[in-house]
């Protein structure tokens, strides 16, 4: 989701410009966030209370947006990347060049795998909270994938497609390891 969302933002920025792309994302992502806050969060709180689970996690800000927790993350990453593109186009171009270089050949798979592994390792030290202000492992994993999708641009997808069978084998190994653990 985050990799594809980053790529979608890239194409939107290329077509419309940075600020119009941000406005478009706000229009698309804002209403589901508001719905999550107004409808889903209270229902989850009532359900947790009825099940005797308490509201400690909600009081600490964890899972305050059930089922749509990823939308504020997406909105944050969109805003950050649009800020970089609009304020420092040279930095953005340098990141694109670096991403293009790193993702050559099997580098595309290695970059994605590296981001996922780094996020998983950090999650051992700082467990996932799904709270936008207190989830470094989530930001490393999801923000990293979003950035790869954005700065990888159109060149990233054929590279990933060329190694789809390797990716499938890695996913099968990951699934077996996860089940074993």
């Amino acid at each position: 989701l985050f990799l594809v969302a980053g790529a979608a933002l890239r194409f939107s920025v290329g077509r419309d410009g940075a600020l119009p792309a941000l406005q478009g994302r706000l229009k698309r992502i804002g209403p589901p966030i508001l719905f999550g806050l107004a409808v889903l969060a209270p229902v989850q709180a009532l359900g947790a209370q009825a099940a005797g689970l308490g509201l400690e996690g909600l009081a600490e800000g964890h899972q305050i947006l059930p089922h749509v927790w990823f939308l504020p993350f997406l909105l944050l990453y969109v805003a950050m990347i649009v800020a970089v593109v609009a304020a420092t186009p040279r930095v953005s171009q340098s990141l694109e060049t670096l991403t293009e270089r790193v993702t050559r050949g099997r580098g595309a798979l290695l970059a994605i795998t590296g981001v996922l592994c780094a996020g998983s390792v950090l999650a051992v030290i700082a467990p996932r909270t799904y709270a936008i202000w207190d989830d470094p492992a989530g930001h490393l994993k999801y923000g990293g994938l979003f950035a790869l999708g954005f700065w990888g641009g159109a060149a990233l997808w054929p590279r990933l497609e060329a190694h789809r069978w390797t990716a499938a084998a890695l996913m099968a190994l990951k699934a077996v390891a996860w089940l074993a653990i």
Side-chain angles (χ1 to χ4, degrees), residues 6-173:
L9 178 65
R10 167 60 179 262
F11 297 124
S12 182
V13 166
R15 182 187 65 235
D16 304 329
L19 295 179
L22 175 61
Q23 290 172 331
R25 293 302 182 267
L26 281 170
K27 287 178 185 174
R28 284 186 200 85
I29 296 173
I33 291 173
L34 294 175
F35 178 80
L37 283 170
V39 177
L40 297 177
V43 169
Q44 182 187 19
L46 289 173
Q49 205 168 25
L53 299 176
L55 299 177
E56 295 81 22
L58 290 173
E60 294 167 9
H62 305 299
Q63 288 287 356
I64 206 153
L65 284 171
H67 312 296
V68 292
W69 64 267
F70 56 92
L71 293 175
F73 281 62
L74 281 173
L75 197 53
L76 174 67
Y77 305 148
V78 166
M80 290 172 67
I81 285 184
V82 164
V84 170
V85 169
T88 57
R90 280 184 137 174
V91 170
S92 182
Q93 182 60 46
S94 295
L95 289 168
E96 179 181 345
T97 301
L98 175 65
T99 304
E100 194 279 327
R101 195 173 305 136
V102 167
T103 60
R104 285 185 187 148
R106 286 204 168 111
L109 286 181
L110 293 173
I112 292 169
T113 303
V115 167
L116 292 172
C117 288
S120 296
V121 168
L122 184 56
V124 171
I125 300 164
R128 297 291 321 276
T129 64
Y130 300 95
I132 197 164
W133 55 84
D134 183 28
D135 194 355
H139 288 303
L140 177 60
K141 184 184 290 186
Y142 303 128
L145 290 173
F146 193 89
L148 274 173
F150 183 83
W151 280 297
L156 182 63
W157 303 104
R159 292 173 179 176
L160 290 172
E161 185 179 0
H163 300 289
R164 66 184 171 276
W165 297 114
T166 304
L170 286 172
M171 275 310 295
L173 286 171

